[in-house]
Amino acid sequence: MVQNMTYDELILRIIILLRDGKIRDFRSVIDELQPYDMAFIFKEMPEKHRARYLSYLTVDDITDMIGELEREFQLVVLNKVGKTKATLAMNKMDNDDLAQLLEEMDEELKEQLLSSMEASESKAVQLLMNYPADSAGRMMTNRYVWIPQHYTVKDAVVKLKSFAEIAESINYLYVINESKQLVGVLSYRDLILGEPEEKVQDLMFTRVISADALQDQEEVARLIERYDFLAIPVVEENNVLVGIVTVDDIIDVVIREADEDYEKFAASGKDITFDTKAYVAAYRRLPWLILLLFIGLISGSIISYFEDALKQVVALAFFMPMVSGMTGNTGTQSLAVVIRGLSKEEMNKKTIVRLIFREFRTSIFIGAVCSVLIAIVSIIWQGNALLGFVVASSLFLTLIIGTMSGTIIPIILHKLKVDPAIASGPLITTLNDILSLLIYFGIATAFIHSL
Amino acid sequence: MVQNMTYDELILRIIILLRDGKIRDFRSVIDELQPYDMAFIFKEMPEKHRARYLSYLTVDDITDMIGELEREFQLVVLNKVGKTKATLAMNKMDNDDLAQLLEEMDEELKEQLLSSMEASESKAVQLLMNYPADSAGRMMTNRYVWIPQHYTVKDAVVKLKSFAEIAESINYLYVINESKQLVGVLSYRDLILGEPEEKVQDLMFTRVISADALQDQEEVARLIERYDFLAIPVVEENNVLVGIVTVDDIIDVVIREADEDYEKFAASGKDITFDTKAYVAAYRRLPWLILLLFIGLISGSIISYFEDALKQVVALAFFMPMVSGMTGNTGTQSLAVVIRGLSKEEMNKKTIVRLIFREFRTSIFIGAVCSVLIAIVSIIWQGNALLGFVVASSLFLTLIIGTMSGTIIPIILHKLKVDPAIASGPLITTLNDILSLLIYFGIATAFIHSL
């Protein structure tokens, strides 16, 4: 019956069960729900029912649910359930979720919460928090099962059964030697198919792909995507197994990275969602806009430098927005290719040289087509062949320059370990604006007496 | 030994083994490799060794490897291995990969290949190809194990063992009733933990989250991400199970969708990677650039309309790039928030109204800050308070208009089922350019005699 209910029906049913105190029926509904559903229901239900809802949920439910909630709601839940239940839930939470939750808390509260937790769990979380942000170590979990290499299939199944609860979502067993070094991996499927007395080390896969704990999360995502893994083991130097990273966290990384690239690219400011408050959104966007305002003024001052030419031939102003706009557009097109490529390709010298030459040839094609077009248009519109030549030849040159700066600048920034997405947008815009206006008015000034 | 070899070392070793005809040693190296590795080695090895490499690989190896190769290489492999091996590999390939491969082949070759395949496999692929592009049905696989609901754990294990090969990467069993309707799901882990005589229907999870075969792949990705699933069952109307979609394919969807959003946003043209040829890249970018060229000319013609004002006060030209640039920038910022949000949020009336008002308030904050700034700058620079007022008040108005068009236009396009990412970039740019110049010169003309 619960199977086909909509969220609204579910919420209504749960509220009725809470009101009537029917904990058994409540339980049978909850057992059919996913953590995301429990979290969604918590957020959507009227506030007055929340305390009771939480009191009816088990520690396991609360642990699962917290993983699906936004930070602000996580804190609400931890506050409302009371210290004992909160501590129990924290003990069971995924380490990476917990580390993220604790990270932004004030020191005192964090210490207090950590000290109330089980020593082993609290130690594990603190270990995670020692790894740099965005590293594999920071997002790994200790909820996996490892076995010594001398185990038989039967031993492994026994161990798996006793760790059933924590072995929930991963379907590999990681095999280590006496020095805790990762030596192999065995899937649950191989375990099911193996004979009880077979040795794990004869069944296991030994060329294990692993991530380094200090490796960037984006690189780990690339490994998981490339190999179609469900989880990847994380090792420290000397190949000592310290945790695993699961595919569900990797999907979040991929989405977050795409959002970040997008935000930087649009200079739209970090983390503006539909829920961000207006003044916060303004505050996050303004630095970019003020920067772009001054960049616009630089163009203005270049134009003012050519004031005399402009006074003599006002028609020069008509083509100005088009020339600088096109330079910007072609630069953006190249930038997009480079930035998305940087996250996927190996950037060796050969690739870079090939890319630069490709973009150069592309810009010649594009420049030729666009300048012929604009020559025709401007001759028809302004009836002035020389003006047409000035506009067309400047456009040809600026399109090449725009493309090259959109290609080369992000590569240089990448080599300098500056994030090219964030830095090259304004840099390329400024440079392209300045160069396009200089070229346009430069060529125009050379011919001004004939125009 | 193979465990720690670099790709270069691996390729060298494999070439030596191929040359010396040591098939046994070759086998023991290959057994330790991932499909991605085999594909990488194939692509990187000198061409003269490829035929022998393929002849040493088993049909299973070739099947795995093909899944990791780009289309052009897939065709090379299928050609080189000969018809028998090619057909065997195609029988074993993931249906979705095969459908993708066949899709772009010419009709005749496709028919020929399909008819040489096993009837059941060829039927399964053709079934897939009947679903629309980008639908869940198109990317599903039939490599999963289903069991009737009356099975015991023991029955299920027996069935799983006999389907070992196809049950490779997924760790759920799907439970169906007599009418082939999906009624539950059971994880391998539950199977390992269950007692042999227990009934599957007592262990299984019944509130199964499934995707509709016609559902958009992006929505399926959202489900998998939300619920942290490794695979999701796909049903047709009446809840009949027709296949499953796995998380590794979903990661590809997420990456592809992000790339597409990015491409559209930057108007950079579809599918331009580092390997695209120069003329192809030019061909894909040119439509956008030509469109933007004419948009630039629209601005130019508006300026030409205000030629007299510009002749009288040339300084108006100095602020022109800044005003229209800023309008474009603020529009882009809003557009980015809306477009990324559209793929995540439920767009109901309440959300939309709230978003529009948020953006409106944001634009007032932004407009106020920027116009005060520009007033100060222009008074200092041009020493003309009235000019400062004209520039500041136009900027204030155009920033509000830019923000609103960047918010409202993509929402309207989304409602009209037009992809807002692709259509709203140029539309918003054009509209913002026209409006910003009209406002700027309009206000300027009103005060022209005092300037």
Side-chain angles (χ1 to χ4, degrees):
Chain A
M1 183 187 139
V2 174
Q3 290 92 302
N4 306 312
M5 279 178 144
T6 66
Y7 278 123
D8 284 343
E9 288 163 359
L10 264 175
I11 292 174
L12 193 64
R13 176 140 179 81
I14 284 176
I15 289 175
I16 292 172
L17 293 174
L18 289 174
R19 197 197 53 197
D20 300 348
K22 293 195 171 158
I23 195 155
R24 256 242 191 89
D25 295 342
F26 175 84
R27 206 48 270 153
S28 73
V29 173
I30 291 294
D31 280 343
E32 290 293 328
L33 298 183
Q34 298 283 343
Y36 175 87
D37 300 329
M38 288 189 250
F40 189 85
I41 290 167
F42 176 77
K43 287 189 285 184
E44 293 293 311
M45 69 171 33
E47 214 165 326
K48 60 178 174 179
H49 298 295
R50 284 185 182 164
R52 188 149 216 186
Y53 179 63
L54 290 177
S55 76
Y56 272 35
L57 292 176
T58 65
V59 171
D60 282 340
D61 296 335
I62 288 171
T63 311
D64 289 345
M65 188 178 81
I66 283 182
E68 299 297 324
L69 285 170
E70 291 83 30
R71 236 185 88 74
E72 46 189 295
F73 286 107
Q74 291 181 326
L75 294 177
V76 170
V77 171
L78 287 180
N79 270 326
K80 278 206 173 155
V81 293
K83 207 175 154 188
T84 327
K85 230 169 165 182
T87 311
L88 287 173
M90 284 169 60
N91 283 337
K92 291 193 169 191
M93 259 177 87
D94 275 351
N95 278 346
D96 51 336
D97 290 344
L98 188 54
Q100 219 174 359
L101 175 65
L102 292 171
E103 194 169 38
E104 288 162 56
M105 279 185 183
D106 67 89
E107 254 343 279
E108 204 181 330
L109 183 59
K110 191 169 82 182
E111 291 303 322
Q112 199 191 325
L113 285 170
L114 279 171
S115 64
S116 68
M117 286 173 63
E118 268 174 44
S120 65
E121 288 296 331
S122 127
K123 218 179 112 194
V125 175
Q126 290 182 63
L127 179 77
L128 235 73
M129 294 175 75
N130 285 335
Y131 288 107
D134 292 329
S135 69
R138 193 57 162 277
M139 70 184 310
M140 67 193 184
T141 165
N142 58 354
R143 309 256 176 256
Y144 65 98
V145 179
W146 52 264
I147 46 173
Q149 55 183 342
H150 61 76
Y151 265 31
T152 61
V153 166
K154 206 170 127 195
D155 299 335
V157 171
V158 170
K159 172 148 187 184
L160 185 57
K161 286 199 183 191
S162 67
F163 283 91
E165 211 177 336
I166 68 160
E168 223 160 350
S169 60
I170 304 99
N171 58 347
Y172 307 112
L173 289 172
Y174 297 94
V175 187
I176 59 173
N177 64 15
E178 317 72 51
S179 328
K180 290 199 124 195
Q181 287 171 315
L182 180 65
V183 292
V185 63
L186 190 70
S187 70
Y188 286 8
R189 169 182 158 264
D190 291 333
L191 207 57
I192 295 176
L193 302 176
E195 295 303 321
E197 293 311 322
E198 264 184 289
K199 284 261 186 197
V200 161
Q201 54 190 345
D202 297 330
L203 288 173
M204 74 188 187
F205 190 82
T206 60
R207 191 172 191 259
V208 188
I209 312 280
S210 60
D212 189 277
L214 296 175
Q215 215 169 345
D216 190 83
Q217 292 178 357
E218 234 178 314
E219 289 174 32
V220 182
R222 224 195 291 179
L223 286 176
I224 290 223
E225 186 239 327
R226 172 181 293 176
Y227 291 113
D228 294 342
F229 285 161
L230 301 178
I232 193 168
V234 181
V235 296
E236 286 213 320
E237 38 183 350
N238 302 323
N239 212 25
V240 171
L241 182 65
V242 288
I244 67 166
V245 168
T246 53
V247 71
D248 54 304
D249 291 331
I250 285 301
I251 292 193
D252 298 339
V253 169
V254 170
I255 293 178
R256 199 170 57 232
E257 294 288 342
D259 280 355
E260 280 178 13
D261 275 2
Y262 210 75
E263 279 163 5
K264 288 169 197 160
F265 196 78
S268 65
K270 221 173 143 54
D271 285 341
I272 299 179
T273 65
F274 283 17
D275 298 323
T276 311
K277 294 215 164 29
Y279 68 92
V280 177
Y283 179 78
R284 288 185 183 155
R285 286 177 187 172
L286 266 171
W288 285 111
L289 287 175
I290 291 173
L291 181 67
L292 293 163
L293 189 147
F294 282 99
I295 288 175
L297 289 177
I298 295 176
S299 304
S301 65
I302 292 173
I303 300 171
S304 80
Y305 179 77
F306 290 104
E307 190 172 350
D308 288 340
L310 201 57
K311 264 186 187 152
Q312 283 177 53
V313 191
V314 181
L316 283 176
F318 308 164
F319 294 97
M320 216 172 60
M322 188 277 297
V323 172
S324 63
M326 289 294 282
T327 317
N329 294 328
T330 185
T332 304
Q333 290 185 332
S334 299
L335 179 62
V337 171
V338 176
I339 298 225
R340 290 303 289 172
L342 284 176
S343 66
K344 285 176 208 150
E345 313 262 349
E346 307 289 336
M347 293 301 278
N348 55 39
K349 208 170 166 185
K350 197 177 125 201
T351 318
I352 291 173
V353 171
R354 219 181 50 194
L355 177 70
I356 291 176
F357 274 94
R358 201 276 307 271
E359 287 295 304
F360 182 68
R361 286 199 306 277
T362 308
S363 70
I364 298 208
F365 281 119
I366 287 175
V369 173
C370 289
S371 50
V372 167
L373 242 164
I374 199 66
I376 296 169
V377 169
S378 56
I379 289 169
I380 294 173
W381 184 19
Q382 294 292 318
N384 184 335
L386 190 60
L387 182 66
F389 169 75
V390 168
V391 175
S393 58
S394 345
L395 186 62
F396 183 72
L397 282 177
T398 57
L399 282 176
I400 294 174
I401 289 172
T403 308
M404 294 327 290
S405 65
T407 312
I408 295 169
I409 293 177
I411 294 175
I412 293 175
L413 291 175
H414 178 71
K415 287 280 159 199
L416 296 175
K417 310 259 175 227
V418 180
D419 181 347
I422 200 150
S424 49
L427 200 63
I428 288 172
T429 312
T430 319
L431 201 74
N432 281 351
D433 274 1
I434 294 173
L435 289 175
S436 66
L437 288 171
L438 284 178
I439 289 172
Y440 179 52
F441 281 108
I443 294 179
T445 313
F447 294 94
I448 194 87
H449 300 295
S450 326
L451 277 171
Chain B
M1 185 189 135
V2 175
Q3 291 89 303
N4 305 312
M5 278 178 147
T6 66
Y7 278 122
D8 284 343
E9 289 163 358
L10 264 175
I11 292 173
L12 194 65
R13 178 143 178 77
I14 283 176
I15 289 174
I16 292 172
L17 293 175
L18 289 174
R19 198 196 53 198
D20 300 349
K22 294 196 173 158
I23 195 157
R24 254 239 192 89
D25 294 343
F26 175 84
R27 204 53 267 153
S28 73
V29 173
I30 292 293
D31 280 343
E32 290 294 328
L33 298 183
Q34 299 282 342
Y36 176 88
D37 301 330
M38 287 189 249
F40 188 85
I41 289 167
F42 176 77
K43 286 188 286 183
E44 293 292 311
M45 70 170 33
E47 214 165 322
K48 58 177 176 180
H49 298 293
R50 285 186 184 164
R52 187 152 219 183
Y53 179 63
L54 290 177
S55 74
Y56 273 34
L57 292 177
T58 64
V59 171
D60 282 340
D61 296 335
I62 287 169
T63 312
D64 288 347
M65 188 178 79
I66 283 181
E68 299 298 322
L69 285 169
E70 291 82 28
R71 235 185 89 74
E72 48 189 294
F73 286 107
Q74 290 181 328
L75 293 177
V76 171
V77 171
L78 288 180
N79 269 326
K80 278 204 173 156
V81 293
K83 206 177 153 187
T84 327
K85 231 170 163 181
T87 312
L88 286 173
M90 282 170 59
N91 284 336
K92 291 193 170 192
M93 260 178 85
D94 274 349
N95 278 347
D96 51 334
D97 291 343
L98 188 53
Q100 218 172 1
L101 175 64
L102 293 172
E103 193 170 38
E104 287 163 59
M105 280 185 183
D106 67 89
E107 248 352 271
E108 204 181 331
L109 183 60
K110 193 170 80 181
E111 290 304 323
Q112 198 192 322
L113 285 170
L114 279 172
S115 63
S116 68
M117 286 174 63
E118 268 173 44
S120 66
E121 289 296 330
S122 129
K123 217 181 112 194
V125 174
Q126 290 182 62
L127 179 78
L128 235 72
M129 293 174 75
N130 285 335
Y131 288 107
D134 292 330
S135 69
R138 194 56 163 276
M139 71 185 309
M140 68 192 184
T141 166
N142 57 354
R143 308 258 175 256
Y144 65 96
V145 180
W146 53 265
I147 45 173
Q149 56 182 342
H150 60 78
Y151 265 32
T152 61
V153 166
K154 208 170 126 193
D155 300 334
V157 170
V158 170
K159 170 148 190 186
L160 185 59
K161 285 198 185 193
S162 67
F163 283 91
E165 213 177 333
I166 67 158
E168 223 159 351
S169 59
I170 303 101
N171 57 348
Y172 308 110
L173 291 171
Y174 298 93
V175 188
I176 60 174
N177 63 16
E178 317 72 50
S179 331
K180 290 199 125 197
Q181 287 171 315
L182 179 66
V183 292
V185 61
L186 189 71
S187 69
Y188 286 9
R189 170 183 156 264
D190 291 333
L191 207 58
I192 295 176
L193 302 178
E195 295 304 322
E197 294 311 323
E198 263 182 289
K199 284 260 188 199
V200 160
Q201 54 189 347
D202 297 331
L203 287 173
M204 74 188 188
F205 190 81
T206 60
R207 191 174 193 258
V208 189
I209 311 282
S210 60
D212 188 277
L214 295 174
Q215 214 168 349
D216 190 84
Q217 292 180 356
E218 233 179 314
E219 287 174 35
V220 182
R222 225 196 289 178
L223 285 176
I224 290 223
E225 186 238 327
R226 173 182 291 176
Y227 291 114
D228 295 344
F229 284 161
L230 302 177
I232 193 166
V234 180
V235 295
E236 286 211 323
E237 37 182 352
N238 302 324
N239 212 27
V240 170
L241 183 64
V242 288
I244 67 165
V245 168
T246 54
V247 71
D248 53 304
D249 291 330
I250 285 300
I251 292 193
D252 299 338
V253 169
V254 170
I255 292 178
R256 200 172 56 233
E257 293 288 344
D259 280 355
E260 280 177 13
D261 274 2
Y262 210 74
E263 278 162 5
K264 288 169 198 161
F265 194 78
S268 64
K270 222 171 142 56
D271 284 342
I272 298 178
T273 67
F274 283 18
D275 299 322
T276 311
K277 295 217 163 29
Y279 69 91
V280 178
Y283 179 77
R284 288 186 183 157
R285 286 178 187 172
L286 266 171
W288 285 111
L289 287 174
I290 291 172
L291 181 67
L292 292 163
L293 188 148
F294 282 98
I295 288 175
L297 289 177
I298 294 175
S299 304
S301 65
I302 291 174
I303 300 171
S304 80
Y305 179 79
F306 289 104
E307 192 173 348
D308 288 338
L310 200 56
K311 264 185 187 154
Q312 283 177 50
V313 191
V314 180
L316 283 176
F318 308 164
F319 294 96
M320 215 171 60
M322 187 279 296
V323 172
S324 64
M326 289 294 283
T327 316
N329 294 329
T330 186
T332 305
Q333 290 185 332
S334 299
L335 180 62
V337 171
V338 176
I339 298 225
R340 290 305 287 171
L342 284 177
S343 65
K344 286 178 208 148
E345 313 260 350
E346 307 289 337
M347 294 301 280
N348 53 39
K349 209 168 164 186
K350 197 178 126 201
T351 318
I352 292 173
V353 171
R354 218 181 52 195
L355 176 70
I356 291 175
F357 274 94
R358 201 277 306 274
E359 288 296 303
F360 181 68
R361 287 198 306 277
T362 308
S363 70
I364 298 213
F365 280 119
I366 287 175
V369 174
C370 289
S371 51
V372 167
L373 242 164
I374 199 64
I376 297 169
V377 170
S378 55
I379 289 169
I380 294 173
W381 184 19
Q382 293 292 320
N384 185 335
L386 190 59
L387 182 66
F389 168 75
V390 167
V391 174
S393 56
S394 351
L395 186 63
F396 182 73
L397 282 177
T398 57
L399 282 176
I400 293 174
I401 288 171
T403 308
M404 293 328 291
S405 66
T407 311
I408 294 169
I409 292 177
I411 294 176
I412 292 174
L413 291 174
H414 177 71
K415 288 279 160 199
L416 296 176
K417 308 263 176 221
V418 179
D419 182 347
I422 200 148
S424 49
L427 200 63
I428 288 172
T429 312
T430 319
L431 201 74
N432 281 350
D433 273 1
I434 294 172
L435 289 175
S436 66
L437 288 172
L438 284 178
I439 289 172
Y440 179 51
F441 281 108
I443 293 180
T445 312
F447 293 95
I448 195 85
H449 299 295
S450 327
L451 277 171

